[in-house]
């Protein structure tokens, strides 16, 4: 999470966070307060403007998997570590919360299966195997993050879980979210509790960010605007193909069903419908 006097940017993994954060630091100043964490209640004072980030779900899963093919990412570490995972849980920053999560976790007995799915970032079959495992209840405890304990995991994917944790819950508060179990309850919770003033979509990152700053009444000099539009992206994975290369019809349907809330809210299209060549235009 990136915090300044005027803007709070709540970061959702693999949605262009590093790039957005760099731009915000140059334009409004501020500092990084941990990554991908929930906003504390103390930030909801004054007139701070809350930004969130989002990405086409089909592309998000490919990017997340390709990042793991590089040996990086929380999910990669969790699912490829055999047995109990004690390291990398955040003991120093959140000791009590981490202890509670550790005591409720289960040992990973499928690490060898997961490692096979990360064998080659150019292998669509490996990606589809990974995607189906990620949405199979048998493997959910391996993923961690509390996802497998969420009642709505039966109807919503990992991207929606992270979205809901970050954008509808304040730090340390998951009570209301953990009572959500159906698609209808999920949509109602998001509509009622989402506190983000503006979302930056990865597919139109620079334009959305500049529009958001304008809505927050933050002036950006024209020369800076032009320079921002020409910046290369940062922190990219080794993915060498567009999303359509990795999906078959069954994999497309799986993401459409599991990430229905995000697909419908942001107007995203599946790769087979031309999502790789179009930009989402639905208002946020």
């Amino acid at each position: 999470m990136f915090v300044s006097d005027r803007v709070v940017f709540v970061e959702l993994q693999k949605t262009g966070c590093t790039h957005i954060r760099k731009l915000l630091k140059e334009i409004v100043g501020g500092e990084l307060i941990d990554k991908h964490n929930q906003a504390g209640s103390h930030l909801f004072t004054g007139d701070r403007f809350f930004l969130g980030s989002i990405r086409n779900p089909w592309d998000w899963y490919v990017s997340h998997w390709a990042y793991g093919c590089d040996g990086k990412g929380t999910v990669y570490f969790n699912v490829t570590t055999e047995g109990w995972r004690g390291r990398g849980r955040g003991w120093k920053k959140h000791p009590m919360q981490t202890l509670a999560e550790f005591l409720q976790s289960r040992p990973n007995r499928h690490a060898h299966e997961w490692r096979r799915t990360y064998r080659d970032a150019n292998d669509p079959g490996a990606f589809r195997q990974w995607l189906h495992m990620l949405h199979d209840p048998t493997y959910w405890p391996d993923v961690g993050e509390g996802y497998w304990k969420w009642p709505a995991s039966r109807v919503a994917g990992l991207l929606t879980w992270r979205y809901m944790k970050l954008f509808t819950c304040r730090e340390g508060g998951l009570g209301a979210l953990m009572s959500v179990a159906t698609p209808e309850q999920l949509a109602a919770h998001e509509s009622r509790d989402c506190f983000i003033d503006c979302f930056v979509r990865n597919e139109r990152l620079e334009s959305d960010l500049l529009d958001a700053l304008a809505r927050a009444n933050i002036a950006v000099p024209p020369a800076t605007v032009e320079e921002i539009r020409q910046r290369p992206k940062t922190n990219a994975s080794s993915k060498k193909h567009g999303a359509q290369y990795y999906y078959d019809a069954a994999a497309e349907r799986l993401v459409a069903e599991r990430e229905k809330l995000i697909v419908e809210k942001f107007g995203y299209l599946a790769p087979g419908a031309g999502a790789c060549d179009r930009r989402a235009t639905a208002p946020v």
Side-chain angles (χ1 to χ4, degrees):
M1 181 171 55
F2 181 85
V3 178
S4 74
D5 292 337
R6 302 178 66 184
V7 174
V8 174
F9 171 44
V10 185
E11 306 180 2
L12 176 60
Q13 297 95 322
K14 303 306 295 176
T15 58
C17 300
T18 302
H19 194 60
I20 296 170
R21 189 193 316 132
K22 286 182 177 179
L23 295 176
L24 285 173
K25 189 171 183 63
E26 294 175 15
I27 297 169
V28 301
E31 60 180 335
L32 177 66
I33 310 296
D34 207 351
K35 292 183 178 180
H36 317 305
N37 54 327
Q38 294 173 306
S41 297
H42 65 284
L43 295 173
F44 293 83
T45 57
D47 58 352
R48 282 193 175 98
F49 192 86
F50 280 80
L51 283 178
S53 51
I54 194 63
R55 186 174 191 167
N56 179 303
W58 289 274
D59 192 54
W60 185 85
Y61 277 108
V62 174
S63 179
H64 210 299
W65 166 78
Y67 200 55
C69 290
D70 291 338
K72 301 176 182 178
T74 302
V75 169
Y76 171 81
F77 171 76
N78 286 348
V79 301
T80 60
T81 300
E82 194 77 44
W84 297 94
R85 297 184 301 272
R87 296 175 53 198
R89 287 179 171 269
W91 292 98
K92 291 182 179 180
K93 294 180 179 178
H94 309 287
M96 298 308 296
Q97 177 182 333
T98 302
L99 177 61
E101 292 176 355
F102 179 74
L103 292 175
Q104 295 177 16
S105 64
R106 296 179 181 176
N108 180 2
R109 299 185 177 90
H110 310 105
H112 64 289
E113 297 178 54
W114 286 105
R115 282 193 288 269
R116 286 202 299 267
T117 70
Y118 289 109
R119 58 184 176 263
D120 183 358
N122 293 295
D123 185 343
F127 165 73
R128 292 195 289 267
Q129 181 184 5
W130 174 86
L131 183 70
H132 285 282
M133 287 176 64
L134 196 66
H135 292 94
D136 183 336
T138 302
Y139 300 97
W140 286 345
D142 304 339
V143 177
E145 303 185 25
Y147 174 62
W148 65 284
K149 296 181 293 182
W150 186 38
S153 61
R154 276 67 185 167
V155 297
L158 181 64
L159 176 56
T160 295
W161 166 241
R162 289 182 171 181
Y163 174 99
M164 298 296 285
K165 280 200 304 181
L166 290 172
F167 301 144
T168 72
C169 302
R170 302 187 185 191
E171 185 177 20
L174 291 176
L177 182 58
M178 294 305 289
S179 67
V180 169
T182 68
E184 294 76 18
Q185 292 172 345
L186 187 67
H189 179 93
E190 196 277 340
S191 178
R192 181 184 66 247
D193 294 326
C194 181
F195 56 79
I196 299 299
D197 295 302
C198 195
F199 281 95
V200 176
R201 291 165 285 192
N202 181 269
E203 301 76 25
R204 46 185 301 170
L205 187 151
E206 292 82 9
S207 296
D208 275 3
L209 178 59
L210 292 169
D211 289 346
L213 293 174
R215 287 179 57 181
N217 297 315
I218 297 173
V220 183
T224 302
V225 170
E226 184 61 27
E227 197 273 334
I228 285 174
R229 294 186 186 280
Q230 297 177 10
R231 290 273 187 98
K233 297 292 176 63
T234 54
N235 202 30
S237 67
S238 63
K239 177 168 64 73
K240 298 179 178 64
H241 304 278
Q244 191 168 10
Y245 173 82
Y246 295 94
Y247 282 91
D248 59 11
E252 278 197 6
R253 287 195 299 271
L254 179 63
V255 173
E257 294 167 359
R258 302 286 292 170
E259 305 298 345
K260 182 179 179 181
L261 183 145
I262 291 172
V263 168
E264 293 186 348
K265 175 168 182 173
F266 296 95
Y268 280 122
L269 299 173
C276 293
D277 302 316
R278 304 181 196 177
R279 292 180 174 179
T281 57
V284 178

